[in-house]
Amino acid sequence: MGSAFDAVRGFYEEAAERLGLELSLREALATPAREIAVQLRVPTDHGGFRVFRGWRVQYNNARGPFKGGIRFHQEVSVDEIRTFAALMTWKTALMNIPFGGAKGGVRVDPKILSEAELERLSRAYMRAIADAIGPQVDIPAPDVNTTPQIMGWMADEYSRKFGPNPAVITGKPLVLGGSLGRDAATGRGSAICLERLVKARGWSREETPVAIEGYGNAGSWLAIILEELGYPIVAVSDSRGAVFSADGLPARDVLAHKRETGSVIDFPGADTLPCEHIFSLDCAVLVLAALEESVDEGNADRVKAQVILETANYPVTPEADRTLAERGVTVVPDILASGGGVAVSYLEWVQDLQREQWAEDRVNDRLTELMGAATDQVMTRAESEALTFREAAYVIGVGRVAEAEVARGFR
Ligand code: GLU
C-alpha cells in the first residue's frame, strides 16, 4: 500500500492548481507545520511496562488553533496521522469554523488493554504532548477508539500541569464541560448533509435505502437518526461481517445486539453476509463510516449505490474516486460529510471559553446551520464549475486556508 498522505495530497494539489496558488504558498500548504513523535511507557497491571509510539501532527493554523482528534489503533503510523491532519485543515476551513488542522494517534490495539492500562496510556500520551497543545494552540478530541472517558482522563492530566481549563480538549464527559449533542454530532452532521442532497434531487426518504459500512460511534448514530427520519437502513457492517434486511433494520436494536455480542453479525431476523458484500448491495446511498481506504480499485466498480457518503476519513482511494466519478456515482467527500464532529467540538470549545452549557436543541440548530451552509456551498460550486463534490469541497477549503495565509502576509 502506498502512502495515504501522498494520495490525499493529490486532492489538495488539484485544488491548488485550480486556485492558481503561488508556488511558495502551494509548497507551504503541502506539508505539516510540525510533527511530534513520542515514546509512551505504560506500566502494566502485572508489573513491568510496555512501550508504545504516539504522534501529534500539527498541519496548519492560519485560520485558528490546530484542531483534530486522537486515534488509538494498531495500524496507526505517522503517514496516516499526517494524512488526517491535512484533512482536518481542509475540513475546518470548509465548515467555516475558526480552527486549523491537526491529528494525533497511538499505535496500540486498545482491546488488549485493561481499563486501568488504557487510563495510564491516555495520561502518558497527554503528558507527552501537553507542552505542544492548549486552548488557543491545539485542541484534541476523540477519533477512532477514543471516548469521552479518555478525553476526561486527558483533560485531568493536562490540568495537573497547567491548571484546569476545559477548552483544552473537546468530546469530554458533560460534567467536565462537554457539550450536549457532541456524541451524536458526526452522525447527525452526515444526516444533515444527506438530507440536503436528497432534497436537491427530489428523492423521497422512504425510497432511499441506505447501507452503512462501520457501526461505531458515527455509523450507529447516523443509522439511528436516518431511521427516525424515515430512511430504510437495509444493511450495516462491522469488522466481522454485515447484516442485511430488505425491509430495514431497527438501528437501536442492532446497536444493543452489537454491545451484547461484540458484533452486528447474527442479528435476529436479518441475513448475515461477509463484510465486503456491503459495498455491492442494491441501495441508493452507501455510507462509509469505518476506516480509511475501504473503497479501492478492487471494489469501486461493484458499487451499485448512486451516492457514497464519506462519514469516515479518507475511505475512498484516488483511483476508486476516479472510477466512481466515471460511473456517475456521487461521492460526498469526508471533509464535508464527516464535518459534524468537529463542528460540535467548536461549539463545545465556545461553551467552555464562556463557561456556559447550551441546551441540546441550540447545539443541534447551530450544527444544522454550519453543515447546511457547507453542503449548499459545495453543491453550488460543483454545479457552477462542473466539478465533483470532492473537487468543489477542496477548492473551497484550500481556498479559505490560502486566503488566511495571504492575509497574514504569505503571498
Ligand atoms: N475526529 C473527528 C474528525 O475526524 C473530530 C475531530 C474534532 O472534533 O476535533 O473530524
Side-chain angles (χ1 to χ4, degrees):
M1 193 172 72
S3 154
F5 182 69
D6 288 345
V8 163
R9 193 164 60 183
F11 296 141
Y12 155 74
E13 294 285 357
E14 270 178 39
E17 184 70 34
R18 277 200 179 89
L19 290 160
L21 296 192
E22 290 296 332
L23 274 184
S24 46
L25 182 54
R26 200 188 273 202
E27 198 184 325
L29 297 183
T31 52
R34 173 151 84 148
E35 301 189 346
I36 301 158
V38 296
Q39 182 197 68
L40 308 175
R41 298 177 180 198
V42 180
T44 70
D45 292 345
H46 312 288
F49 66 94
R50 288 191 57 180
V51 183
F52 299 96
R53 299 290 293 161
W55 294 270
R56 182 77 182 165
V57 175
Q58 298 173 329
Y59 198 85
N60 183 281
N61 63 353
R63 300 182 65 264
F66 297 108
K67 184 86 191 79
I70 298 166
R71 65 170 58 185
F72 287 175
H73 195 270
Q74 58 276 19
E75 303 285 320
V76 161
S77 67
V78 66
D79 182 80
E80 186 201 53
I81 298 301
R82 195 181 287 145
T83 307
F84 296 140
L87 288 181
M88 286 309 300
T89 305
W90 319 132
K91 193 188 297 188
T92 54
L94 179 61
M95 297 305 296
N96 217 359
I97 54 179
F99 290 130
K103 196 79 169 200
V106 177
R107 191 177 179 88
V108 59
D109 177 2
K111 290 186 201 82
I112 63 164
L113 301 182
S114 70
E115 167 111 350
E117 288 167 339
L118 188 63
E119 176 174 352
R120 290 196 286 274
L121 175 77
S122 306
R123 289 181 180 278
Y125 177 74
M126 176 49 90
R127 271 199 308 283
I129 65 161
D131 287 330
I133 67 164
Q136 300 297 339
V137 181
D138 179 358
I139 304 126
D143 195 75
V144 172
N145 290 332
T146 51
T147 58
Q149 173 61 81
I150 291 175
M151 300 303 112
W153 291 326
M154 290 188 180
D156 180 66
E157 196 63 31
Y158 183 85
S159 74
R160 291 182 189 198
K161 197 161 178 187
F162 296 107
N165 196 329
V168 69
I169 198 161
T170 56
K172 299 176 296 294
L174 280 183
V175 67
L176 296 182
S179 178
L180 289 162
R182 176 63 186 86
D183 201 36
T186 306
R188 188 174 301 281
S190 274
I192 296 165
C193 189
L194 181 63
E195 280 273 278
R196 296 267 163 153
L197 182 67
V198 163
K199 196 165 165 225
R201 298 210 164 171
W203 294 355
S204 88
R205 293 166 175 158
E206 291 70 22
E207 286 162 52
T208 303
V210 178
I212 304 180
E213 183 226 8
Y215 216 59
N217 174 281
S220 58
W221 271 114
L222 178 58
I224 290 165
I225 293 164
L226 289 182
E227 187 192 6
E228 271 166 16
L229 288 169
Y231 294 82
I233 310 299
V234 291
V236 303
S237 74
D238 61 24
S239 56
R240 289 175 50 195
V243 280
F244 171 82
S245 165
D247 303 333
L249 297 158
R252 283 185 192 276
D253 295 347
V254 175
L255 184 61
H257 175 79
K258 182 173 164 84
R259 288 204 173 122
E260 240 168 69
T261 65
S263 174
V264 298
I265 59 170
D266 299 328
F267 179 73
D271 298 330
T272 290
L273 308 167
C275 289
E276 62 275 15
H277 282 217
I278 196 90
F279 302 115
S280 51
L281 285 174
D282 255 323
C283 60
V285 179
L286 171 62
V287 178
L288 304 176
L291 296 171
E292 60 268 30
E293 299 182 341
S294 308
V295 175
D296 59 15
E297 283 159 291
N299 56 15
D301 52 1
R302 293 207 300 269
V303 170
K304 293 203 189 76
Q306 285 129 286
V307 171
I308 286 189
L309 194 63
E310 294 189 340
T311 302
N313 288 304
Y314 181 45
V316 173
T317 66
E319 298 76 28
D321 202 48
R322 276 189 288 275
T323 306
L324 293 166
E326 279 160 19
R327 296 187 51 229
V329 180
T330 300
V331 180
V332 186
D334 46 10
I335 60 172
L336 176 63
S338 77
V342 74
V344 175
S345 275
Y346 161 59
L347 303 177
E348 177 175 335
W349 181 73
V350 168
Q351 291 170 71
D352 289 341
L353 292 176
Q354 298 172 342
R355 297 294 196 272
E356 280 189 17
Q357 171 86 249
W358 298 355
E360 187 163 358
D361 282 350
R362 185 171 173 195
V363 174
N364 290 343
D365 288 351
R366 279 292 286 136
L367 170 61
T368 305
E369 283 170 17
L370 289 164
M371 186 49 96
T375 308
D376 290 349
Q377 286 157 10
V378 169
M379 291 199 298
T380 306
R381 190 84 173 231
E383 180 146 5
S384 68
E385 295 177 24
L387 301 174
T388 65
F389 279 18
R390 190 186 315 279
E391 288 163 347
Y394 268 78
V395 169
I396 298 169
V398 172
R400 284 181 184 155
V401 178
E403 199 185 338
E405 291 281 14
V406 169
R408 285 170 181 275
F410 295 98
R411 57 181 82 238

